[in-house]
Amino acid sequence: MMNHTFTDLGVEEALTAKLAEYEITAPSPVQAETIPAVLAGRDVLAESQTGTGKTLAYLLPALQKIDPASRTTQVLILAPTQELAMQILHESQRYGENREIEVQALIGGAAIGRQVERLRKHPQLVVGTPGRVRELLALRKLKLHTVKLVVIDEVDQLFQLGGSGDVEQILKGTLRDRQLLFLSATVTPEIRELAGREMRDPVEVGIKPEQRTSESLEHLYFICEQRDKIDQLRRIIRTYDAQKVLVFVNNTEDIGEVEAKMNYVGLSAGALYGDADKTTRSLVLRRFREGEYRVLVASDVAARGLDIEGLTLVVNLDPPMDAEHYVHRAGRTGRMGRKGVAVSIVNPRELFIIRKFSRALGIEFGHRVLSGGKIIVPREEREHAPRTVNGKGPRSAKSSAPSPSASRKSAKVARESSPAAARKEDRHKDRKNKGAPKWLKNKAARPEGAEE
């Protein structure tokens, strides 16, 4: 593929100048293929892995197609979550500032009356979640007959969250000659069926669809007993010395406990989960972006689309439910070619999940242990490292996944190298600390070796 500039793709000078302010000078592959098609008025079905620049691939041409002199809604962007919608809103404001484009968010969890009031300013670009947009359409407070372009970002997640019905109803309210863009990390048969009904001769963009995760992303796993996971998390964060860490927890009721423990050991942490109100979620995310929180403990609500500057470490304290969720969690780091590490902390009974993801995604997971304040490769892993086959290089990622016998050895090594002495010392300190949280007091009261 030829090396393009944004100007070569047809992006106007005002937008390229704004990109240069943020040191963005060369388009990514998905941007190079998508931008000209959108500017030409074509419908687009784009599939590209997370962290490849899909947002700017549609946002730059969308902003350029808006007529600032016309006080009508001309572009509608739909996103599956409040966090992603707000991120798109901020990007729209950042790059649309020079063109004096009015942008508004219509998301659930916010006061609908205030949103109705702002709609009277006739924003040219609206970013919303499907449920709230459909609600405002039903109230006849939002009209789409002037919309020229509809963008649906992370369309696969909209289907997973049951939002396909809302999307179809919204599309019925738009003109048939409007332009339609679908962007996703994966294109499922359901998405392709909807595209077949709603799009006209779409341009299909596929950027290495077989490569599900970034090449600059390292995948690692640590083994410990379930009761030691949070302590292992603390040690991993300290050892990596990462200034921003995103930790995924499956159960919402466990998020508060992990947050409290991180804060108690001096790792400033916030919590992000779907049941929290919009204001709280926005505040927590802003504090994490700005570095006020070093650790963000989150549910899968943070797994899609979010781009956090400086995030180099993602940790799965609980394994994701499937390979697709792993891809999106890990994709919060290692974005746009930058280095990143995705760590999974598993107990011995969860090792099969690592093997399953390795086979499904065609990626290699490296086993690591903590020893002497360092992260090392276990000895038996080094002894069984993939050798060259007939001088043709290492074995495939699939064959390098840990075997059952190696996994059992790894689990044994992890138990032997567990921080027993460190935990004993921590318990002694906790008993001396009268202001310790209740969960630590209870832990201190238990005899050594008791289950937590």
Side-chain angles (χ1 to χ4, degrees):
M1 182 181 293
M2 293 177 58
N3 292 325
H4 293 286
T5 65
F6 284 103
T7 302
D8 294 335
L9 302 179
V11 179
E12 63 184 23
E13 185 179 350
L15 290 172
T16 57
K18 199 68 178 178
L19 289 166
E21 289 181 22
Y22 296 97
E23 300 182 350
I24 302 173
T25 56
S28 68
V30 70
Q31 292 164 359
E33 292 200 28
T34 303
I35 290 173
V38 179
L39 289 175
R42 299 288 300 277
D43 288 354
V44 175
L45 176 60
E47 178 181 13
S48 182
Q49 64 187 244
T50 59
T52 53
K54 290 193 293 292
T55 301
L56 286 182
Y58 65 76
L59 189 57
L60 293 174
L63 290 169
Q64 188 163 320
K65 291 168 77 73
I66 290 174
D67 177 7
S70 176
R71 304 302 297 180
T72 59
T73 301
Q74 301 169 47
V75 175
L76 171 66
I77 302 174
L78 297 176
T81 65
Q82 297 175 23
E83 286 73 24
L84 180 54
M86 292 305 297
Q87 179 174 287
I88 296 168
L89 175 80
H90 295 320
E91 292 291 289
S92 302
Q93 291 171 331
R94 171 187 292 179
Y95 294 104
E97 180 183 17
N98 291 347
R99 303 191 76 241
E100 298 183 352
I101 293 172
E102 184 73 24
V103 183
Q104 182 180 347
L106 301 176
I107 62 175
I112 192 169
R114 187 174 301 172
Q115 292 177 356
V116 169
E117 185 67 27
R118 291 197 63 191
L119 281 173
R120 293 173 183 168
K121 295 182 179 180
H122 305 292
Q124 290 117 333
L125 188 152
V126 167
V127 184
T129 49
R132 177 51 58 89
V133 170
R134 187 177 178 185
E135 184 180 2
L136 287 165
L137 286 172
L139 294 172
R140 300 183 182 276
K141 300 299 182 181
L142 175 66
K143 296 179 175 61
L144 301 181
H145 65 279
T146 58
V147 170
K148 299 183 294 185
L149 173 63
V150 178
V151 180
I152 304 179
D153 200 357
E154 298 287 354
V155 63
D156 55 336
Q157 190 186 18
L158 279 174
F159 274 77
Q160 290 178 6
L161 296 176
S164 59
D166 288 332
V167 169
E168 294 194 54
Q169 288 300 315
I170 291 168
L171 292 178
K172 287 180 181 178
T174 62
L175 299 176
R176 287 298 300 172
D177 62 350
R178 47 88 179 108
Q179 189 178 1
L180 183 59
L181 314 181
F182 285 176
L183 296 103
S184 180
T186 54
V187 174
T188 63
E190 293 81 7
I191 294 170
R192 197 169 290 280
E193 181 183 347
L194 180 61
R197 291 198 307 269
E198 299 290 345
M199 289 183 170
R200 297 163 297 171
D201 187 25
V203 173
E204 293 201 27
V205 175
I207 306 298
K208 295 185 178 179
E210 75 286 351
Q211 183 181 318
R212 304 293 301 282
T213 62
S214 169
E215 293 177 334
S216 61
L217 184 57
E218 186 178 16
H219 306 270
L220 304 175
Y221 69 96
F222 292 74
I223 309 169
C224 69
E225 294 299 330
Q226 185 68 29
R227 63 177 177 269
D228 295 328
K229 277 193 173 188
I230 296 179
D231 188 55
Q232 187 87 326
L233 170 64
R234 172 187 64 82
R235 298 175 71 217
I236 288 170
I237 294 173
R238 296 287 194 198
T239 305
Y240 271 104
D241 196 26
Q243 297 309 302
K244 286 183 182 176
V245 184
L246 178 55
V247 179
F248 284 104
V249 177
N250 288 346
N251 298 318
T252 302
E253 55 268 26
D254 296 334
I255 290 177
E257 179 186 6
V258 178
E259 178 197 19
K261 290 183 178 182
M262 291 297 99
N263 279 306
Y264 184 74
V265 297
L267 295 170
S268 57
L272 184 68
Y273 50 95
D275 292 339
D277 61 81
K278 181 255 179 185
T279 302
T280 300
R281 288 163 65 172
S282 296
L283 180 62
V284 168
L285 194 55
R286 178 177 62 79
R287 287 176 172 172
F288 183 57
R289 288 184 188 277
E290 294 176 355
E292 188 174 340
Y293 292 142
R294 184 175 178 181
V295 181
L296 181 63
V297 186
S299 66
D300 278 312
V301 73
R304 288 292 190 125
L306 291 185
D307 189 2
I308 309 295
E309 186 176 352
L311 178 61
T312 58
L313 179 62
V314 169
V315 180
N316 294 307
L317 193 64
D318 295 321
M321 67 174 64
D322 54 33
E324 187 69 22
H325 281 75
Y326 179 85
V327 166
H328 289 285
R329 286 184 179 187
R332 296 315 96 215
T333 187
R335 300 173 69 81
M336 294 297 289
R338 293 185 290 269
K339 296 291 184 181
V341 181
V343 166
S344 297
I345 302 176
V346 296
N347 64 47
R349 294 172 298 281
E350 294 169 336
L351 271 171
F352 79 95
I353 299 175
I354 298 298
R355 296 194 294 273
K356 178 181 175 182
F357 291 169
S358 179
R359 290 192 297 268
L361 301 173
I363 58 178
E364 181 177 353
F365 287 80
H367 178 211
R368 299 291 185 270
V369 296
L370 288 161
S371 178
K374 296 181 180 179
I375 293 173
I376 63 172
V377 179
R379 183 177 63 185
E380 72 276 4
E381 294 284 331
R382 294 195 299 271
E383 292 173 352
H384 294 86
R387 298 184 179 91
T388 57
V389 181
N390 298 326
K392 295 182 180 180
R395 296 171 182 150
S396 66
K398 182 176 180 180
S399 65
S400 64
S403 66
S405 59
S407 296
R408 286 192 292 271
K409 290 180 181 178
S410 298
K412 182 179 179 182
V413 169
R415 287 193 294 272
E416 290 174 350
S417 61
S418 64
R423 289 201 306 274
K424 187 173 181 180
E425 182 181 349
D426 287 345
R427 289 192 184 101
H428 177 69
K429 291 179 180 178
D430 295 339
R431 291 186 185 103
K432 293 171 63 178
N433 192 334
K434 297 181 180 179
K438 183 178 179 181
W439 59 266
L440 274 178
K441 291 180 180 178
N442 292 339
K443 182 176 179 180
R446 286 192 292 271
E448 291 289 333
E451 290 287 332
E452 294 189 21

